[in-house]
Amino acid sequence: MRETLSHSGYQVFAAADYDGAVSLFRRQRGQIDALVVDLSLPGPNGYELAKVLSALRPGLKTLLISGRAGAELC
């Protein structure tokens, strides 16, 4: 997904986990227009990350994704 977005002209910031994503968002806040996050993110899940980042920037466009399905996502 990162390659596809980059090749389409988007600047992509990537983080491996919750803490890295929060830190990156705080450093790059003015440059981030949208969040694409895996619900199965290590540590606090992607939904929790989306809630925190949306509180820091109300109106943040967010796409929650996952390769998994079922109750473990909730």
Coordinates of all heavy atoms in Angstrom, one line a residue:
M1 N 0.8 -1.2 0.0 CA 0.0 0.0 0.0 C 0.9 1.3 0.0 O 0.6 2.2 -0.7 CB -0.9 0.0 1.2 CG -1.9 1.2 1.2 SD -3.0 1.2 2.5 CE -4.1 -0.1 2.0
R2 N 2.0 1.2 0.8 CA 2.9 2.4 0.8 C 3.4 2.7 -0.6 O 3.4 3.8 -1.0 CB 4.0 2.1 1.8 CG 5.0 3.2 1.9 CD 6.1 3.0 2.9 NE 6.2 1.6 3.3 CZ 6.9 1.2 4.3 NH1 7.6 2.0 5.0 NH2 7.0 -0.1 4.6
E3 N 3.8 1.7 -1.3 CA 4.4 1.9 -2.6 C 3.3 2.4 -3.6 O 3.6 3.3 -4.3 CB 4.9 0.5 -3.2 CG 6.3 0.2 -2.8 CD 6.8 -1.0 -3.6 OE1 6.6 -1.1 -4.8 OE2 7.4 -1.8 -2.9
T4 N 2.1 1.9 -3.5 CA 1.1 2.3 -4.4 C 0.7 3.8 -4.2 O 0.6 4.6 -5.1 CB -0.2 1.5 -4.2 OG1 0.1 0.1 -4.5 CG2 -1.3 1.9 -5.1
L5 N 0.6 4.2 -2.9 CA 0.3 5.6 -2.6 C 1.5 6.5 -3.0 O 1.2 7.6 -3.5 CB 0.0 5.7 -1.1 CG -1.3 5.1 -0.6 CD1 -1.4 5.1 0.9 CD2 -2.5 5.8 -1.2
S6 N 2.7 6.1 -2.7 CA 3.8 6.9 -3.1 C 3.9 7.1 -4.6 O 4.1 8.2 -5.1 CB 5.1 6.2 -2.6 OG 5.2 6.3 -1.2
H7 N 3.7 6.0 -5.4 CA 3.7 6.1 -6.8 C 2.6 6.9 -7.4 O 2.6 7.4 -8.5 CB 3.7 4.7 -7.5 CG 5.0 4.0 -7.4 ND1 5.4 3.2 -6.4 CD2 6.0 4.0 -8.3 CE1 6.6 2.8 -6.6 NE2 7.0 3.2 -7.8
S8 N 1.5 7.1 -6.6 CA 0.4 7.9 -7.0 C 0.6 9.4 -6.6 O -0.3 10.2 -6.8 CB -0.9 7.4 -6.4 OG -1.2 6.1 -6.9
G9 N 1.8 9.7 -6.0 CA 2.1 11.1 -5.7 C 1.8 11.5 -4.2 O 2.0 12.7 -3.9
Y10 N 1.4 10.6 -3.4 CA 1.2 10.9 -2.0 C 2.5 10.8 -1.2 O 3.3 9.9 -1.5 CB 0.2 10.0 -1.4 CG -1.2 10.2 -2.0 CD1 -1.7 9.3 -3.0 CD2 -2.0 11.2 -1.5 CE1 -2.9 9.5 -3.5 CE2 -3.3 11.3 -2.0 CZ -3.7 10.5 -3.0 OH -5.0 10.7 -3.5
Q11 N 2.7 11.6 -0.2 CA 3.8 11.5 0.7 C 3.3 10.6 1.8 O 2.3 10.8 2.4 CB 4.2 12.8 1.3 CG 5.5 12.7 2.2 CD 5.9 14.1 2.7 OE1 5.2 15.1 2.5 NE2 7.1 14.1 3.2
V12 N 4.1 9.5 2.0 CA 3.7 8.5 3.0 C 4.6 8.4 4.2 O 5.8 8.4 4.0 CB 3.6 7.1 2.3 CG1 3.2 6.0 3.3 CG2 2.6 7.1 1.1
F13 N 4.1 8.5 5.4 CA 4.8 8.3 6.6 C 4.4 6.9 7.2 O 3.2 6.6 7.2 CB 4.5 9.4 7.6 CG 4.8 10.8 7.1 CD1 3.8 11.6 6.7 CD2 6.1 11.3 7.2 CE1 4.1 12.9 6.2 CE2 6.4 12.6 6.8 CZ 5.4 13.4 6.3
A14 N 5.4 6.1 7.6 CA 5.0 4.8 8.1 C 5.6 4.6 9.5 O 6.7 5.1 9.8 CB 5.6 3.7 7.1
A15 N 4.8 3.9 10.3 CA 5.3 3.5 11.7 C 5.0 2.1 11.9 O 4.0 1.5 11.4 CB 4.6 4.4 12.7
A16 N 5.8 1.4 12.7 CA 5.6 0.0 12.9 C 4.7 -0.4 14.1 O 4.2 -1.5 14.1 CB 7.0 -0.7 13.2
D17 N 4.5 0.6 15.0 CA 3.6 0.3 16.1 C 2.9 1.6 16.6 O 3.1 2.7 16.1 CB 4.4 -0.3 17.2 CG 5.6 0.5 17.7 OD1 5.6 1.7 17.5 OD2 6.5 -0.1 18.3
Y18 N 2.1 1.4 17.6 CA 1.3 2.5 18.2 C 2.2 3.7 18.6 O 1.9 4.8 18.2 CB 0.5 2.0 19.4 CG -0.3 3.0 20.1 CD1 -1.7 3.2 19.7 CD2 0.2 3.7 21.2 CE1 -2.5 4.1 20.4 CE2 -0.6 4.6 21.8 CZ -1.9 4.8 21.4 OH -2.7 5.7 22.1
D19 N 3.2 3.4 19.5 CA 4.0 4.5 20.0 C 4.7 5.2 18.9 O 4.8 6.5 18.9 CB 5.0 3.9 21.0 CG 4.4 3.5 22.3 OD1 3.3 4.0 22.6 OD2 5.0 2.6 22.9
G20 N 5.3 4.5 17.9 CA 5.9 5.1 16.7 C 5.0 6.0 15.9 O 5.4 7.0 15.5
A21 N 3.7 5.5 15.8 CA 2.8 6.3 15.0 C 2.4 7.6 15.7 O 2.3 8.6 15.1 CB 1.5 5.4 14.8
V22 N 2.2 7.5 17.0 CA 1.8 8.7 17.8 C 3.0 9.7 17.7 O 2.8 10.9 17.5 CB 1.5 8.4 19.3 CG1 1.3 9.7 20.1 CG2 0.2 7.6 19.3
S23 N 4.2 9.3 17.9 CA 5.4 10.1 17.9 C 5.5 10.8 16.5 O 5.8 12.0 16.4 CB 6.6 9.3 18.2 OG 7.8 10.1 18.1
L24 N 5.4 10.0 15.4 CA 5.5 10.5 14.1 C 4.4 11.5 13.8 O 4.7 12.6 13.2 CB 5.4 9.3 13.1 CG 5.6 9.7 11.6 CD1 6.3 8.5 10.9 CD2 4.3 9.9 10.9
F25 N 3.2 11.2 14.2 CA 2.1 12.1 14.0 C 2.3 13.5 14.7 O 2.1 14.5 14.1 CB 0.8 11.5 14.6 CG -0.4 12.3 14.2 CD1 -1.0 12.2 13.0 CD2 -1.0 13.2 15.1 CE1 -2.2 13.0 12.7 CE2 -2.1 14.0 14.8 CZ -2.7 13.9 13.6
R26 N 2.9 13.5 15.9 CA 3.2 14.7 16.6 C 4.2 15.5 15.9 O 4.2 16.7 15.8 CB 3.5 14.4 18.0 CG 2.3 14.0 18.9 CD 2.6 13.9 20.3 NE 1.4 13.8 21.1 CZ 1.3 13.0 22.1 NH1 2.3 12.2 22.5 NH2 0.1 12.9 22.7
R27 N 5.2 14.8 15.3 CA 6.3 15.5 14.6 C 5.8 16.1 13.2 O 6.3 17.1 12.8 CB 7.5 14.6 14.4 CG 8.3 14.3 15.6 CD 9.6 13.6 15.2 NE 9.5 12.5 14.2 CZ 9.3 11.2 14.5 NH1 9.1 10.8 15.7 NH2 9.2 10.4 13.5
Q28 N 4.9 15.3 12.6 CA 4.5 15.7 11.2 C 3.1 16.1 11.1 O 2.5 16.2 10.0 CB 4.7 14.4 10.3 CG 6.1 13.8 10.3 CD 7.1 14.7 9.7 OE1 6.8 15.6 8.9 NE2 8.4 14.5 10.1
R29 N 2.5 16.5 12.2 CA 1.0 16.8 12.2 C 0.5 17.6 11.1 O -0.5 17.3 10.5 CB 0.6 17.4 13.6 CG -0.9 17.6 13.7 CD -1.3 18.3 14.9 NE -0.8 17.7 16.1 CZ -1.1 18.1 17.3 NH1 -1.9 19.1 17.5 NH2 -0.7 17.4 18.3
G30 N 1.2 18.7 10.8 CA 0.8 19.6 9.7 C 0.8 19.0 8.3 O 0.2 19.5 7.4
Q31 N 1.6 17.9 8.2 CA 1.7 17.3 6.9 C 0.8 16.0 6.7 O 0.8 15.5 5.6 CB 3.2 16.8 6.7 CG 4.1 18.0 6.7 CD 5.6 17.6 6.5 OE1 5.8 16.8 5.6 NE2 6.4 18.0 7.3
I32 N 0.1 15.6 7.7 CA -0.7 14.4 7.6 C -2.1 14.7 7.4 O -2.7 15.4 8.3 CB -0.5 13.5 8.9 CG1 1.0 13.1 8.9 CG2 -1.4 12.3 8.8 CD1 1.4 12.3 10.1
D33 N -2.7 14.3 6.3 CA -4.1 14.6 5.9 C -5.0 13.4 6.2 O -6.2 13.6 6.3 CB -4.2 15.0 4.4 CG -3.4 16.3 4.2 OD1 -3.5 17.2 5.0 OD2 -2.7 16.3 3.1
A34 N -4.4 12.2 6.2 CA -5.2 11.0 6.3 C -4.4 9.9 7.1 O -3.2 9.9 7.0 CB -5.7 10.5 5.0
L35 N -5.1 9.0 7.7 CA -4.5 7.9 8.4 C -5.1 6.6 7.8 O -6.3 6.5 7.7 CB -4.9 8.0 9.9 CG -4.6 6.8 10.8 CD1 -3.0 6.7 11.0 CD2 -5.2 6.9 12.2
V36 N -4.2 5.7 7.5 CA -4.5 4.4 7.1 C -3.9 3.5 8.1 O -2.6 3.5 8.2 CB -4.0 4.0 5.6 CG1 -4.4 2.6 5.3 CG2 -4.6 5.0 4.6
V37 N -4.7 2.7 8.8 CA -4.1 1.9 9.9 C -4.7 0.6 10.0 O -5.9 0.4 9.8 CB -4.3 2.7 11.3 CG1 -5.7 2.9 11.6 CG2 -3.6 2.0 12.4
D38 N -3.8 -0.4 10.3 CA -4.3 -1.8 10.4 C -4.9 -2.0 11.8 O -4.3 -1.6 12.8 CB -3.0 -2.7 10.3 CG -3.4 -4.2 10.2 OD1 -4.5 -4.6 10.7 OD2 -2.7 -4.9 9.6
L39 N -6.1 -2.6 11.8 CA -6.7 -2.8 13.1 C -5.9 -3.7 14.0 O -6.0 -3.6 15.2 CB -8.1 -3.4 12.9 CG -9.2 -2.4 12.4 CD1 -10.4 -3.1 11.9 CD2 -9.5 -1.4 13.4
S40 N -5.1 -4.5 13.4 CA -4.2 -5.5 14.2 C -2.9 -4.9 14.6 O -1.9 -5.7 14.7 CB -4.1 -6.8 13.4 OG -5.3 -7.3 13.2
L41 N -2.8 -3.6 14.6 CA -1.5 -3.0 15.0 C -1.0 -3.5 16.3 O -1.7 -3.7 17.2 CB -1.8 -1.4 15.1 CG -0.6 -0.5 15.3 CD1 0.2 -0.4 14.0 CD2 -1.1 0.9 15.7
P42 N 0.4 -3.8 16.4 CA 0.9 -4.3 17.6 C 0.7 -3.3 18.8 O 0.8 -2.1 18.5 CB 2.4 -4.4 17.3 CG 2.5 -4.5 15.9 CD 1.4 -3.7 15.3
G43 N 0.5 -3.8 20.0 CA 0.2 -2.9 21.1 C -1.2 -2.5 21.1 O -2.1 -3.2 20.6
P44 N -1.5 -1.2 21.5 CA -2.9 -0.8 21.4 C -3.3 -0.9 19.9 O -2.5 -0.6 19.0 CB -2.9 0.7 21.8 CG -1.7 0.7 22.8 CD -0.7 -0.2 22.2
N45 N -4.5 -1.3 19.6 CA -4.9 -1.6 18.2 C -5.1 -0.4 17.4 O -5.1 0.8 17.9 CB -6.1 -2.6 18.1 CG -7.4 -1.9 18.7 OD1 -7.6 -0.7 18.6 ND2 -8.2 -2.7 19.3
G46 N -5.3 -0.6 16.1 CA -5.5 0.5 15.2 C -6.7 1.4 15.5 O -6.6 2.6 15.3
Y47 N -7.7 0.9 16.0 CA -8.9 1.7 16.4 C -8.5 2.6 17.5 O -8.9 3.8 17.5 CB -10.1 0.8 16.8 CG -11.3 1.5 17.2 CD1 -12.1 2.2 16.3 CD2 -11.6 1.6 18.6 CE1 -13.2 2.9 16.7 CE2 -12.8 2.3 19.0 CZ -13.5 3.0 18.0 OH -14.6 3.7 18.4
E48 N -7.8 2.1 18.5 CA -7.3 3.0 19.6 C -6.4 4.1 19.1 O -6.5 5.3 19.5 CB -6.6 2.2 20.7 CG -7.5 1.2 21.4 CD -8.7 1.9 22.1 OE1 -8.5 2.9 22.7 OE2 -9.8 1.3 22.1
L49 N -5.5 3.8 18.2 CA -4.6 4.8 17.6 C -5.5 5.8 16.8 O -5.2 7.0 17.0 CB -3.7 4.1 16.6 CG -2.8 5.1 15.8 CD1 -1.9 5.9 16.8 CD2 -2.0 4.4 14.8
A50 N -6.5 5.4 16.1 CA -7.3 6.4 15.3 C -8.0 7.3 16.3 O -8.1 8.5 16.0 CB -8.3 5.6 14.5
K51 N -8.5 6.8 17.4 CA -9.2 7.6 18.4 C -8.2 8.7 19.0 O -8.6 9.9 19.1 CB -9.8 6.8 19.5 CG -11.0 6.0 19.2 CD -11.7 5.4 20.3 CE -10.9 4.9 21.4 NZ -11.7 4.2 22.5
V52 N -7.0 8.3 19.3 CA -6.0 9.2 19.9 C -5.6 10.3 18.8 O -5.6 11.5 19.2 CB -4.8 8.5 20.4 CG1 -3.6 9.4 20.7 CG2 -5.1 7.7 21.6
L53 N -5.3 9.9 17.6 CA -4.9 10.8 16.6 C -6.1 11.8 16.2 O -5.8 12.9 15.9 CB -4.3 10.1 15.4 CG -3.0 9.3 15.7 CD1 -2.5 8.8 14.4 CD2 -2.0 10.1 16.5
S54 N -7.3 11.3 16.2 CA -8.4 12.1 15.8 C -8.7 13.1 16.9 O -9.2 14.2 16.7 CB -9.7 11.2 15.6 OG -9.5 10.5 14.5
A55 N -8.4 12.8 18.2 CA -8.5 13.8 19.3 C -7.4 14.9 19.1 O -7.7 16.0 19.4 CB -8.3 13.1 20.6
L56 N -6.2 14.5 18.6 CA -5.2 15.5 18.4 C -5.5 16.4 17.2 O -5.1 17.5 17.1 CB -3.8 14.8 18.2 CG -3.2 14.1 19.4 CD1 -2.0 13.3 19.0 CD2 -2.9 15.1 20.5
R57 N -6.2 15.8 16.2 CA -6.6 16.5 15.0 C -8.0 16.2 14.6 O -8.2 15.2 13.8 CB -5.6 16.2 13.9 CG -5.9 17.0 12.6 CD -4.9 16.9 11.6 NE -5.3 17.7 10.4 CZ -4.8 17.5 9.2 NH1 -3.8 16.7 9.1 NH2 -5.2 18.2 8.2
P58 N -9.0 16.8 15.1 CA -10.4 16.6 14.8 C -10.6 16.7 13.3 O -10.0 17.5 12.6 CB -11.1 17.6 15.5 CG -10.3 18.0 16.7 CD -8.8 17.9 16.1
G59 N -11.3 15.7 12.7 CA -11.6 15.7 11.3 C -10.6 14.9 10.5 O -10.7 14.9 9.3
L60 N -9.6 14.3 11.2 CA -8.6 13.5 10.5 C -9.3 12.4 9.7 O -10.1 11.6 10.3 CB -7.6 12.9 11.4 CG -6.5 12.0 10.9 CD1 -5.6 12.8 10.0 CD2 -5.8 11.3 12.0
K61 N -9.1 12.3 8.4 CA -9.7 11.2 7.6 C -9.0 9.9 8.0 O -7.7 9.9 8.0 CB -9.5 11.5 6.1 CG -10.4 12.7 5.7 CD -10.1 13.0 4.2 CE -10.9 14.2 3.7 NZ -10.4 15.5 4.2
T62 N -9.7 8.9 8.2 CA -9.2 7.6 8.7 C -9.7 6.4 7.9 O -10.9 6.4 7.7 CB -9.5 7.5 10.2 OG1 -8.9 8.6 10.9 CG2 -8.8 6.2 10.7
L63 N -8.9 5.5 7.5 CA -9.2 4.3 6.9 C -8.7 3.2 7.7 O -7.5 3.0 7.9 CB -8.7 4.2 5.4 CG -8.9 2.9 4.7 CD1 -10.4 2.7 4.5 CD2 -8.2 2.9 3.4
L64 N -9.6 2.4 8.3 CA -9.2 1.2 9.1 C -9.2 0.0 8.2 O -10.2 -0.3 7.6 CB -10.2 1.0 10.3 CG -10.3 2.2 11.3 CD1 -11.5 2.0 12.2 CD2 -9.0 2.4 12.0
I65 N -8.1 -0.7 8.2 CA -8.0 -1.9 7.4 C -7.5 -3.1 8.2 O -7.0 -3.0 9.3 CB -7.0 -1.7 6.2 CG1 -5.6 -1.4 6.8 CG2 -7.4 -0.5 5.3 CD1 -4.5 -1.4 5.7
S66 N -7.7 -4.3 7.6 CA -7.2 -5.5 8.2 C -7.2 -6.7 7.3 O -8.2 -6.7 6.4 CB -7.9 -5.9 9.5 OG -7.3 -7.0 10.1
G67 N -6.3 -7.6 7.4 CA -6.3 -8.8 6.6 C -7.0 -9.9 7.4 O -7.2 -11.0 6.9
R68 N -7.5 -9.6 8.6 CA -8.2 -10.5 9.5 C -9.7 -10.2 9.5 O -10.1 -9.1 9.2 CB -7.7 -10.4 10.9 CG -6.2 -10.8 11.0 CD -5.9 -10.8 12.5 NE -4.5 -11.2 12.7 CZ -3.9 -11.3 13.8 NH1 -4.6 -11.0 14.9 NH2 -2.7 -11.7 13.9
A69 N -10.4 -11.2 9.9 CA -11.9 -10.9 10.1 C -12.3 -11.7 11.4 O -11.7 -12.7 11.7 CB -12.6 -11.5 8.9
G70 N -13.3 -11.1 12.0 CA -13.9 -11.8 13.2 C -13.8 -11.0 14.4 O -13.5 -9.9 14.4
A71 N -14.2 -11.7 15.5 CA -14.3 -11.0 16.8 C -13.0 -10.4 17.3 O -13.1 -9.5 18.1 CB -14.9 -12.0 17.8
E72 N -11.9 -11.0 16.9 CA -10.6 -10.5 17.5 C -10.3 -9.0 17.1 O -9.5 -8.4 17.6 CB -9.4 -11.3 17.0 CG -9.1 -11.3 15.6 CD -9.8 -12.3 14.7 OE1 -10.7 -13.0 15.2 OE2 -9.4 -12.5 13.6
L73 N -11.1 -8.5 16.1 CA -10.9 -7.1 15.7 C -11.6 -6.1 16.6 O -11.2 -4.9 16.6 CB -11.4 -6.9 14.3 CG -10.6 -7.6 13.2 CD1 -11.2 -7.4 11.8 CD2 -9.1 -7.2 13.2
C74 N -12.6 -6.5 17.3 CA -13.4 -5.6 18.1 C -12.8 -5.3 19.5 O -12.0 -5.9 20.0 CB -14.8 -6.2 18.3 SG -15.6 -6.5 16.8

